[in-house]
Amino acid sequence: MTGTVVTPLPLVLRFADVGRDDVPVAGGKGASLGELMRAGIRVPDGFVVATAAFRSAVAALDLGSRVASLDPADGDAVAAACAELRSVVESAPLPPPVVEAVTAGYVRLAAECGRSDLPVAVRSSATSEDSAEASFAGLQDTYLWVRGADSVLHHVRRCWASLYSVESVTYRLRRGIPETDLAMAVVVQEMVGARSSGVMFTRSPLTGDRSVIAIDASWGLGSAVVSGDVTPDSFVVSKVTGEIGRRTVSTKTRWHQPDPRGSGVVESDVPANLRDVPSISDDEIAELTAIARRVEAHYGCPQDIEWAVSRTAAPGESVFVLQSRPETVWAEKDAAAAGQRVAAPTPRAFDHVFNLLGGKRPTES
């Protein structure tokens, strides 16, 4: 009798190889980026360290049962357990096949982009995140401007460990999300040398109006917007006519930029001549509006989209989508009749993202 041949699960997947149905292997963020690429949306290229890599690295650590036994109301016990769990994950030796696969993925991406020391974002992509029912935005770690295969491996491990942050564990316990099938994929994505960045919602965060797109923008990397370190420019655009119905140009005093030492991100003052100047042009607003309409149409529901404008790409090719997820604030409000939790609306798109982050800025390392 011939035995069944078991095909090993992939440890690394290119964005082009995944789509919306691949959340179990690529996590919510990775699956979304692959889906956007398949839909013809301009996305910085990259790859996903699949959930199989996470499972192979932590299989013997018995993490799930240790979390399931915690009481979310006992903050001290949760904090102590999470500190221990994170330390265990960060120090666990990486299986050689994982090291080889991630290193090969980074070397290949760097070669395709023409830079041996290609800067990348290393971003957590949990299997339960970015759904319409539960948003894990900001509960796990993101690391920006990471260079070199060894540093990528180090930050992949830190992303895995962030699955056991106090915020993430408490969220799962309170929402009754089981640990049994939980896993973490990690996105490794080419960094955009962002002149301007921000978020946009294909539904008004204030009123729920689905006929408008709300765009928040500021100078530099988008981490300054989602962390609340800057009050961004704000634009409300009609989906039907493309007309900018409301524009607010804020005084933008802080921005996040690549660390001139070569790795990580630094926060500094915005030059005086840029502080009161719109961070995106009307042409870029029009392009963002067109992209937002396409992304919403593709997914069939309102979206929360992160984007960046490259300082080096050619005009007409400079706007990149970094992530898209279902909008949750008004989706939950609409579902109130079914007894689901209702989140209060916020007046600006970045306020909603900041609330999801719990006032905690994305890790910059």
Side-chain angles (χ1 to χ4, degrees):
M1 180 176 178
T2 303
T4 302
V5 177
V6 178
T7 303
L9 294 173
L11 299 176
V12 165
L13 293 161
R14 303 179 69 150
F15 286 173
D17 297 330
V18 297
R20 70 171 80 187
D21 296 329
D22 294 311
V23 172
V25 295
K29 192 175 280 89
S32 174
L33 288 166
E35 185 68 23
L36 290 167
M37 186 172 282
R38 288 181 177 182
I41 304 298
R42 190 179 298 110
V43 173
D45 202 4
F47 62 92
V48 181
V49 182
T51 52
F54 171 84
R55 290 191 171 101
S56 71
V58 305
L61 303 180
D62 191 30
L63 302 172
S65 63
R66 294 165 73 174
V67 170
S69 65
L70 295 171
D71 178 357
D74 189 344
D76 290 341
V78 171
C82 287
E84 181 182 356
L85 290 170
R86 292 192 70 150
S87 177
V88 166
V89 174
E90 288 192 22
S91 61
L94 289 175
V98 172
V99 174
E100 294 166 7
V102 174
T103 298
Y106 176 77
V107 170
R108 181 180 60 237
L109 178 64
E112 291 172 351
C113 295
R115 295 187 61 178
S116 61
D117 64 341
L118 180 74
V120 293
V122 182
R123 313 173 71 192
S124 303
S125 182
T127 54
S128 296
E129 73 178 359
D130 292 352
S131 68
E133 293 76 29
S135 177
F136 278 68
L139 298 185
Q140 283 97 43
D141 286 353
T142 286
Y143 299 94
L144 305 179
W145 230 263
V146 176
R147 296 177 188 265
D150 288 345
S151 186
V152 168
L153 285 163
H154 172 68
H155 287 93
V156 165
R157 196 197 310 248
R158 294 181 73 181
C159 284
W160 289 342
S162 73
L163 192 59
Y164 301 97
S165 69
V166 171
E167 297 87 352
S168 185
V169 166
T170 301
Y171 184 89
R172 296 199 300 273
L173 289 170
R174 288 179 173 168
R175 297 284 294 237
I177 298 171
E179 298 288 314
T180 49
D181 296 322
L182 196 69
M184 172 76 80
V186 178
V187 164
V188 179
Q189 184 178 29
E190 178 188 4
M191 284 294 306
V192 174
R195 187 206 74 212
S196 306
S197 306
V199 296
M200 58 181 172
F201 280 59
T202 65
R203 183 177 194 172
S204 168
L206 177 60
T207 67
D209 184 357
R210 294 192 60 173
S211 72
V212 299
I213 295 164
I215 302 171
D216 283 346
S218 193
W219 298 113
L221 300 174
S223 52
V225 176
V226 299
S227 66
D229 283 343
V230 65
T231 300
D233 300 330
S234 179
F235 309 91
V236 178
V237 186
S238 168
K239 282 183 189 171
V240 179
T241 66
E243 179 182 358
I244 302 172
R246 178 172 64 82
R247 68 172 77 221
T248 304
V249 178
S250 301
T251 299
K252 300 167 288 295
T253 59
R254 305 291 285 173
W255 63 359
H256 292 180
Q257 294 286 322
D259 191 325
R261 292 172 294 185
S263 182
V265 174
V266 293
E267 179 184 336
S268 59
D269 292 333
V270 173
N273 64 316
L274 295 179
R275 292 181 182 179
D276 296 302
V277 176
S279 52
I280 50 176
S281 67
D282 284 5
D283 286 346
E284 288 161 349
I285 292 171
E287 186 171 356
L288 285 166
T289 300
I291 290 171
R293 286 196 293 244
R294 287 179 61 194
V295 173
E296 181 181 66
H298 182 78
Y299 281 107
C301 65
Q303 296 289 298
D304 162 3
I305 301 168
E306 299 173 23
W307 55 268
V309 178
S310 169
R311 67 173 71 251
T312 58
E317 300 177 358
S318 61
V319 178
F320 290 83
V321 171
L322 308 179
Q323 174 61 13
S324 187
R325 61 177 69 87
E327 184 275 340
T328 57
V329 171
W330 282 93
E332 289 186 349
K333 186 176 177 67
D334 290 345
Q340 297 186 17
R341 179 175 62 87
V342 181
T346 58
R348 301 165 73 103
F350 97 99
D351 290 325
H352 167 62
V353 178
F354 189 46
N355 288 344
L356 288 176
L357 289 167
K360 172 187 172 185
R361 86 177 51 170
T363 305
E364 299 163 4
S365 176

Short mmCIF file of all heavy atoms in Angstrom, two decimals, residues 8 29 33 69 79 81 133 160 194 205 237 239 247 257 278 282 287 290 304 313 338 351 353 364:
data_model
loop_
_atom_site.label_atom_id
_atom_site.label_comp_id
_atom_site.label_asym_id
_atom_site.label_seq_id
_atom_site.Cartn_x
_atom_site.Cartn_y
_atom_site.Cartn_z
N PRO A 8 5.10 19.67 1.73
CA PRO A 8 5.39 20.68 2.77
C PRO A 8 4.74 22.01 2.43
O PRO A 8 4.71 22.43 1.26
CB PRO A 8 6.92 20.78 2.74
CG PRO A 8 7.39 19.52 2.08
CD PRO A 8 6.32 19.14 1.11
N LYS A 29 -3.05 40.87 6.18
CA LYS A 29 -2.31 41.90 5.44
C LYS A 29 -1.67 41.32 4.18
O LYS A 29 -1.74 41.90 3.10
CB LYS A 29 -1.26 42.52 6.36
CG LYS A 29 -0.64 43.79 5.82
CD LYS A 29 0.30 44.39 6.85
CE LYS A 29 -0.40 45.18 7.93
NZ LYS A 29 -0.81 44.40 9.09
N LEU A 33 -2.53 42.35 0.25
CA LEU A 33 -1.55 42.93 -0.67
C LEU A 33 -1.47 42.13 -1.96
O LEU A 33 -1.38 42.70 -3.05
CB LEU A 33 -0.18 43.01 0.01
CG LEU A 33 -0.07 44.08 1.10
CD1 LEU A 33 1.17 43.86 1.95
CD2 LEU A 33 -0.05 45.47 0.48
N SER A 69 -5.57 30.28 29.28
CA SER A 69 -5.82 30.17 30.72
C SER A 69 -5.88 31.52 31.43
O SER A 69 -6.18 31.59 32.62
CB SER A 69 -4.73 29.31 31.37
OG SER A 69 -3.47 29.95 31.27
N ALA A 79 -0.10 40.97 31.84
CA ALA A 79 1.14 41.67 31.50
C ALA A 79 2.36 40.78 31.78
O ALA A 79 3.29 40.71 30.97
CB ALA A 79 1.24 42.97 32.28
N ALA A 81 2.46 37.46 31.95
CA ALA A 81 2.47 36.33 31.03
C ALA A 81 2.92 36.76 29.64
O ALA A 81 3.70 36.06 28.98
CB ALA A 81 1.09 35.69 30.97
N GLU A 133 -15.16 41.75 10.77
CA GLU A 133 -15.67 41.46 12.09
C GLU A 133 -14.70 41.84 13.20
O GLU A 133 -15.08 42.08 14.33
CB GLU A 133 -15.99 39.96 12.22
CG GLU A 133 -17.15 39.50 11.34
CD GLU A 133 -16.75 39.38 9.88
OE1 GLU A 133 -15.56 39.10 9.61
OE2 GLU A 133 -17.61 39.57 9.02
N TRP A 160 6.46 38.10 15.16
CA TRP A 160 5.83 36.92 15.76
C TRP A 160 5.56 37.15 17.25
O TRP A 160 4.49 36.85 17.76
CB TRP A 160 6.72 35.70 15.60
CG TRP A 160 6.83 35.16 14.22
CD1 TRP A 160 6.00 35.40 13.16
CD2 TRP A 160 7.84 34.26 13.74
NE1 TRP A 160 6.44 34.72 12.05
CE2 TRP A 160 7.55 33.99 12.38
CE3 TRP A 160 8.95 33.65 14.33
CZ2 TRP A 160 8.35 33.14 11.61
CZ3 TRP A 160 9.74 32.81 13.56
CH2 TRP A 160 9.44 32.55 12.21
N ALA A 194 8.80 57.89 0.75
CA ALA A 194 7.57 58.68 0.71
C ALA A 194 7.83 60.16 0.89
O ALA A 194 8.40 60.59 1.88
CB ALA A 194 6.62 58.18 1.79
N PRO A 205 -15.77 58.83 7.91
CA PRO A 205 -15.66 58.36 9.30
C PRO A 205 -16.59 59.11 10.25
O PRO A 205 -16.91 58.59 11.31
CB PRO A 205 -14.19 58.64 9.65
CG PRO A 205 -13.49 58.82 8.35
CD PRO A 205 -14.51 59.39 7.42
N VAL A 237 -13.86 64.11 -0.61
CA VAL A 237 -14.03 64.12 -2.06
C VAL A 237 -15.28 63.33 -2.44
O VAL A 237 -15.53 62.25 -1.90
CB VAL A 237 -12.80 63.48 -2.75
CG1 VAL A 237 -12.91 63.62 -4.26
CG2 VAL A 237 -11.51 64.10 -2.24
N LYS A 239 -17.35 60.80 -4.46
CA LYS A 239 -17.08 59.65 -5.32
C LYS A 239 -17.70 59.83 -6.70
O LYS A 239 -17.18 59.30 -7.69
CB LYS A 239 -17.68 58.37 -4.71
CG LYS A 239 -16.90 57.76 -3.58
CD LYS A 239 -17.61 56.48 -3.15
CE LYS A 239 -16.99 55.94 -1.87
NZ LYS A 239 -17.81 54.82 -1.32
N ARG A 247 -11.67 70.93 2.19
CA ARG A 247 -10.23 70.77 2.33
C ARG A 247 -9.75 71.56 3.54
O ARG A 247 -10.14 72.71 3.74
CB ARG A 247 -9.50 71.20 1.05
CG ARG A 247 -9.53 72.66 0.72
CD ARG A 247 -8.59 72.96 -0.46
NE ARG A 247 -9.12 72.57 -1.74
CZ ARG A 247 -8.39 72.00 -2.71
NH1 ARG A 247 -7.10 71.76 -2.51
NH2 ARG A 247 -8.93 71.68 -3.85
N GLN A 257 10.93 60.32 9.06
CA GLN A 257 11.82 60.17 7.91
C GLN A 257 12.76 58.99 8.15
O GLN A 257 13.01 58.61 9.30
CB GLN A 257 12.65 61.45 7.72
CG GLN A 257 11.84 62.68 7.34
CD GLN A 257 11.38 62.62 5.90
OE1 GLN A 257 12.09 62.18 5.01
NE2 GLN A 257 10.15 63.07 5.67
N PRO A 278 -0.13 72.38 1.44
CA PRO A 278 -0.78 71.07 1.25
C PRO A 278 0.25 70.00 0.93
O PRO A 278 1.15 70.20 0.11
CB PRO A 278 -1.71 71.31 0.07
CG PRO A 278 -1.96 72.78 0.06
CD PRO A 278 -0.70 73.42 0.55
N ASP A 282 -3.84 68.57 -6.01
CA ASP A 282 -5.17 68.19 -6.47
C ASP A 282 -5.10 67.02 -7.44
O ASP A 282 -6.00 66.16 -7.45
CB ASP A 282 -5.86 69.39 -7.13
CG ASP A 282 -6.38 70.40 -6.11
OD1 ASP A 282 -6.12 70.22 -4.90
OD2 ASP A 282 -7.03 71.37 -6.53
N GLU A 287 -6.03 61.14 -8.20
CA GLU A 287 -5.54 59.77 -8.39
C GLU A 287 -5.90 58.89 -7.19
O GLU A 287 -6.31 57.73 -7.36
CB GLU A 287 -4.03 59.77 -8.60
CG GLU A 287 -3.47 58.40 -8.95
CD GLU A 287 -2.02 58.42 -9.37
OE1 GLU A 287 -1.42 59.52 -9.47
OE2 GLU A 287 -1.47 57.33 -9.58
N ALA A 290 -9.55 57.94 -7.48
CA ALA A 290 -9.76 56.87 -8.47
C ALA A 290 -9.34 55.52 -7.93
O ALA A 290 -10.02 54.50 -8.13
CB ALA A 290 -8.99 57.20 -9.75
N ASP A 304 -10.58 50.90 4.31
CA ASP A 304 -9.64 51.74 5.05
C ASP A 304 -8.28 51.49 4.40
O ASP A 304 -7.75 50.38 4.47
CB ASP A 304 -9.68 51.29 6.52
CG ASP A 304 -8.50 51.74 7.36
OD1 ASP A 304 -7.63 52.46 6.86
OD2 ASP A 304 -8.45 51.33 8.54
N ALA A 313 9.38 58.46 -7.91
CA ALA A 313 8.69 57.86 -9.05
C ALA A 313 8.17 58.94 -10.00
O ALA A 313 7.98 60.10 -9.62
CB ALA A 313 7.53 56.98 -8.57
N ALA A 338 -27.86 43.45 15.12
CA ALA A 338 -27.56 42.04 15.36
C ALA A 338 -26.89 41.84 16.71
O ALA A 338 -26.45 40.73 17.03
CB ALA A 338 -26.67 41.49 14.24
N ASP A 351 -8.06 59.84 13.15
CA ASP A 351 -8.50 59.62 14.52
C ASP A 351 -8.94 58.17 14.71
O ASP A 351 -8.68 57.55 15.74
CB ASP A 351 -9.68 60.54 14.87
CG ASP A 351 -9.27 61.99 14.98
OD1 ASP A 351 -8.15 62.24 15.45
OD2 ASP A 351 -10.07 62.86 14.60
N VAL A 353 -7.87 55.52 13.01
CA VAL A 353 -6.68 54.68 13.03
C VAL A 353 -5.96 54.81 14.36
O VAL A 353 -5.52 53.82 14.96
CB VAL A 353 -5.73 55.04 11.87
CG1 VAL A 353 -4.47 54.18 11.92
CG2 VAL A 353 -6.43 54.83 10.53
N GLU A 364 9.25 51.83 15.61
CA GLU A 364 10.20 52.34 14.63
C GLU A 364 11.57 51.84 15.00
O GLU A 364 12.13 52.21 16.02
CB GLU A 364 10.18 53.86 14.62
CG GLU A 364 8.82 54.42 14.25
CD GLU A 364 8.68 55.87 14.64
OE1 GLU A 364 9.65 56.46 15.14
OE2 GLU A 364 7.58 56.40 14.46
#
